[in-house]
Amino acid sequence: MKLFVLLSRVPYPLEKGDKLRAFHHLRCLSKYYDIHLFCLNDAKLHPLAVEKLSEFCQSVTIARLSRTNIYAGLFSAIFSGLPFQTGYFFSKKIKKQILAKIEEVKPDHIFCQLIRVTEYVKDLNIPKTLDYQDVFSTGYQRLSTKSSLFIKPLLRIEAQRVDKYEKYIFDKFDNKFIISVPDRDAINHPEKDKILVIPNGVDTEYFKPLDLKKEFDILFTGNMNYKPNVDSVEYLVNNVLPVLKRKVPVVKVLIAGADPHKRVLKLASDDVCVSGWVEDMRECYGKSKIFVAPMQIGTGLQNKLLEAMAMKLPCITSGLANNALQAAEDNEILVGYSPEDYAEKIELLLKNPETCQNIALGGYNFVLKNYNWEAQAERIHGLISAAVSQDA
């Protein structure tokens, strides 16, 4: 069976959440389908990307999204009412390439990740599956509450447009799935319960406990140019750390991840290391005592928490992040509700090895039981197979 997969980014290297999710979906679904991958690309292409993706795909097509394409798409979105993020990724020229590739491949099914690419194929009479991944309308609304007076109205407009589009595109696809229950419940469609919740997984053969010397007390990882991550580390360093240091004077923090924003770079000090791109993130997990992710905005499931738990690191996060994760509070994870609360819980883990070990083990077992890429891909395969059978 032939599966045509359409992505807004090339899913390699795996420094962003949507890339990670797409990469493992491709890897696991290749057991069931002949995959023909079509990616948009607005960045420098990694020299190994095509080679790595060809391990799972029968063909890999990458269409360059130029600045001219992007500006034209954004300008068009102003008048069409489309979300700006959809306009950003839409090009009439690329649409012709996509349709030509589909005509060549003649796929049995089309699989899109994110609403960014759905305009290209929404009207094709071929069974289709959409991975919403996150509910972006809610994400933009949350971002607007923490943005400047100039940006705030633009984000609110985008939130409204995305909300409308998320509802509209629902009826254009045979199957829909999303990363978490809170994200599904935020989709503004009367039949949103039909959206299947398919969380991310974690590669527990790759992310597993390492016995390394502990050089850092606290770790945060992620794409450090992503607004929710920037906001989180600022909250950690500027709000939590001063409270913590009243009781634990010497604390070493590591902020690890690609492309750190200038606001993140400013956080660097004798106590805070901003590493930038890391070749092997497992070493950062292995050298740290506690993983802290005080997510204040954003949506979806935090891959960073899954990886940290798989490496048997005790984790502290926000109620917002744990709503998607659904780990048992005070057993599998600790949840912070204020700077003082975060500081208290960090101190508890640093000073109580038994509690630290219990939370780490609880989180580790939780991930092993609930977050498996292969199991989630099998559920996607079930959706696609049912849609193809129904159409036959």
Side-chain angles (χ1 to χ4, degrees), residues 364-377:
Y364 176 72
N365 290 332
F366 169 75
V367 162
L368 291 185
K369 179 181 178 182
N370 295 285
Y371 291 94
N372 179 281
W373 285 116
E374 282 73 17
Q376 305 307 339

Side-chain angles (χ1 to χ4, degrees), residues 223-241:
N223 171 18
M224 295 317 305
N225 198 35
Y226 179 49
K227 180 71 167 63
N229 287 341
V230 174
D231 181 85
S232 292
V233 293
E234 286 184 326
Y235 182 88
L236 173 62
V237 174
N238 296 332
N239 297 68
V240 177
L241 202 55

Side-chain angles (χ1 to χ4, degrees), residues 288-300:
S288 304
K289 297 177 182 177
I290 303 169
F291 189 83
V292 182
M295 310 304 294
Q296 304 297 299
I297 54 177
T299 57

Side-chain angles (χ1 to χ4, degrees), residues 28 68 103 167 184 203 209 239 252 255 271 376:
C28 296
T68 302
E103 179 61 28
K167 179 180 179 180
R184 181 201 63 195
D203 185 349
N239 297 68
K252 293 293 183 182
I255 300 170
D271 299 321
Q376 305 307 339

